[in-house]
Amino acid sequence: MRNNSKTPQGRQPMSRDERRHVVSLQKHKQRKRRKMITLVLLVLLIAVVGLVLSLTVFFRITAINVAQSTIYSDEQIVNASGIKISENMFLTDSEKAAKKIEEALPYISDVSIKKSITGKMTLTVTETKAAMAFLEGEQYLIINPEGKVLERSRIISEHVCLVSGVGYTEATEGKTIVLSDLKASDGETVLRTGEKLLEDLVTAYKGNEEYLSGKISEIRLDDINNLEMVYEYRILLKCGEIGKLESTLKFAGAIIERLDGENPYYKGTVDLRIENKAYYNEGDFEEKSEEPSQEAVTDENGEAVENTGDAATEENTTESTSD
C-alpha cells in the first residue's frame, strides 16, 4: 500500500536522489565559504607581512638633502630635525621635524619636507629676517615680522625697528614673544591684551614695509589711542588710533614723500591724528607737545597747510588715496 502521508508543509517527502542533491549543494556552499575565508585570511596575512617589512626592512631613509642654503649649515638643519639615516620613512613625523627645526634654528620660518620612495628626503627651508627689537638691559631682544623671537644681541642692524612702550612676559628663542597686557594707571584694568598688542605691532611693521619703504626706526606703543612711529630717526609720526593705522600710514607715505622732495634732511613732527590732515612742526620732535600744533594754519577751505604756507594738505590727501 502506498504511503500518501505528507510533510508538515503539505509537500511530498524528498526522494533519495533529491536528498543527495540537497546535501551535495550544502557541501559545495561550505567548501566555497571555506575557500573565501581562507583567501581573505591569506590576503590579510600578506598585508600584515608587507606592513611589517615596510616598517622594518623597506622604505628606510638613505639620504637627507637640504634644498636652498641659509645662514645655517646643512648639518645644523638636519641635526635639528631629528631625522636619522636608516630610519623608516613612513614613521617619520614631517610636521614634528619641521617644528623642531623652526624652534632650534630661529632664523628659519618655514620648512617643507618631501619624501621619495627611493629613500631620499628633501628639506626645503625658508629664512626669516630680523625686523624689530626690544631693549633688554644692555642688549636687544630681536624678533621677526610675525613676532618670533630670533636672538639676543648687543647690536642691531639699522634696518631693525626698536619697539618701546610695551613689555613682555615670555621671550624664548624660536617661539612667539608673549607681550604684557597694557593696563590703566590703576594697575588692574586691562586696556589691551598682550595678544592684541602683538597683532598691532605686526600690523604697524607691515604698514611700515608697504607704505614707508621699511624706514621706520622706532614704534611706540605707550598709548593705544596715539601710536607713534619714528621715521629714519628724524621724523616723529603721531598716528592716532591703532584701528585706523593702515590708512594713516598710507597717508603718511605721501606726506613724507612730499617733505623729502622739498628737504631730504627735514627733521620734526608730523601729526596725523586728524583724518586726512597733517600738521608739521620742524625741530626736535622729542620736545613737541602731545596736542596738534597750534601753529598750523588752514587755507580758505579749512584744510591744514605747512608752516611755510606754500601748499595745502588737501593735495597730499589726494596723493595718498590714489591707486
Side-chain angles (χ1 to χ4, degrees):
M1 181 180 295
R2 177 179 293 180
N3 184 4
N4 291 324
S5 62
K6 296 182 178 181
T7 62
Q9 290 79 17
R11 291 181 298 183
Q12 293 289 340
M14 291 185 297
S15 65
R16 179 181 299 175
D17 291 339
E18 288 176 332
R19 287 197 298 271
R20 286 178 179 176
H21 180 67
V22 170
V23 172
S24 177
L25 285 176
Q26 290 176 343
K27 289 183 178 179
H28 177 71
K29 289 181 180 179
Q30 290 175 353
R31 286 195 299 269
K32 188 175 181 180
R33 189 180 298 112
R34 284 197 294 267
K35 286 182 180 180
M36 184 61 68
I37 293 173
T38 302
L39 181 60
V40 170
L41 291 176
L42 182 60
V43 170
L44 289 175
L45 178 62
I46 293 174
V48 171
V49 171
L51 179 62
V52 172
L53 289 176
S54 66
L55 296 179
T56 58
V57 179
F58 305 133
F59 302 109
R60 290 191 173 278
I61 300 172
T62 58
I64 307 173
N65 296 330
V66 177
Q68 194 169 337
S69 59
T70 68
I71 61 174
Y72 302 108
S73 68
D74 291 0
E75 184 179 5
Q76 285 178 298
I77 295 172
V78 173
N79 289 341
S81 73
I83 301 173
K84 306 291 184 183
I85 295 292
S86 79
E87 282 185 354
N88 184 270
M89 185 172 292
F90 291 139
L91 294 180
T92 301
D93 189 332
S94 298
E95 186 176 341
K96 183 177 180 180
K99 185 175 181 181
K100 289 171 68 175
I101 293 174
E102 292 169 17
E103 291 186 353
L105 308 175
Y107 276 92
I108 293 178
S109 62
D110 185 67
V111 181
S112 173
I113 300 179
K114 183 178 180 181
K115 301 176 181 179
S116 170
I117 59 174
T118 62
K120 177 182 175 182
M121 294 193 72
T122 303
L123 313 181
T124 302
V125 298
T126 302
E127 283 188 336
T128 187
K129 65 177 182 178
M132 297 170 279
F134 295 79
L135 187 60
E136 190 181 74
E138 297 183 354
Q139 63 181 358
Y140 295 98
L141 175 74
I142 303 174
I143 64 175
N144 79 345
E146 286 74 40
K148 178 184 179 182
V149 179
L150 301 179
E151 64 173 319
R152 288 171 169 80
S153 174
R154 286 186 170 275
I155 58 173
I156 56 174
S157 165
E158 62 178 3
H159 302 296
V160 173
C161 173
L162 187 63
V163 179
S164 62
V166 61
Y168 47 87
T169 58
E170 185 177 334
T172 303
E173 291 183 19
K175 296 184 178 181
T176 301
I177 190 170
V178 179
L179 297 183
S180 304
D181 293 340
L182 185 63
K183 296 183 178 181
S185 56
D186 60 12
E188 297 295 333
T189 305
V190 176
L191 300 176
R192 209 165 186 82
T193 65
E195 183 178 359
K196 188 61 180 174
L197 279 173
L198 181 58
E199 291 179 11
D200 297 335
L201 185 59
V202 170
T203 298
Y205 183 80
K206 289 183 177 179
N208 162 48
E209 292 282 286
E210 184 172 359
Y211 303 115
L212 298 169
S213 303
K215 295 183 178 180
I216 290 296
S217 55
E218 184 179 355
I219 298 175
R220 301 174 177 179
L221 292 171
D222 311 69
D223 185 351
I224 59 173
N225 296 314
N226 181 28
L227 176 72
E228 294 184 344
M229 302 174 76
V230 180
Y231 179 85
E232 285 191 337
Y233 304 96
R234 60 187 177 89
I235 300 176
L236 175 65
L237 301 175
K238 294 186 177 182
C239 300
E241 296 179 22
I242 291 176
K244 300 178 180 179
L245 187 59
E246 184 174 358
S247 60
T248 300
L249 293 182
K250 186 176 182 180
F251 183 40
I255 295 294
I256 290 177
E257 182 178 358
R258 176 185 174 185
L259 284 174
D260 283 351
E262 297 173 354
N263 176 13
Y265 303 103
Y266 177 88
K267 181 178 181 181
T269 299
V270 178
D271 195 326
L272 304 162
R273 287 178 288 181
I274 298 178
E275 190 173 1
N276 293 333
K277 286 185 172 61
Y279 294 83
Y280 311 133
N281 284 307
E282 190 170 1
D284 185 356
F285 56 75
E286 294 291 345
E287 298 178 0
K288 294 298 180 180
S289 168
E290 290 296 318
E291 297 301 320
S293 170
Q294 299 303 311
E295 298 178 11
V297 295
T298 59
D299 62 12
E300 59 184 2
N301 296 318
E303 297 292 341
V305 300
E306 290 185 86
N307 292 337
T308 55
D310 59 356
T313 304
E314 184 178 7
E315 298 175 7
N316 291 325
T317 305
T318 303
E319 291 178 25
S320 69
T321 56
S322 61
D323 291 330

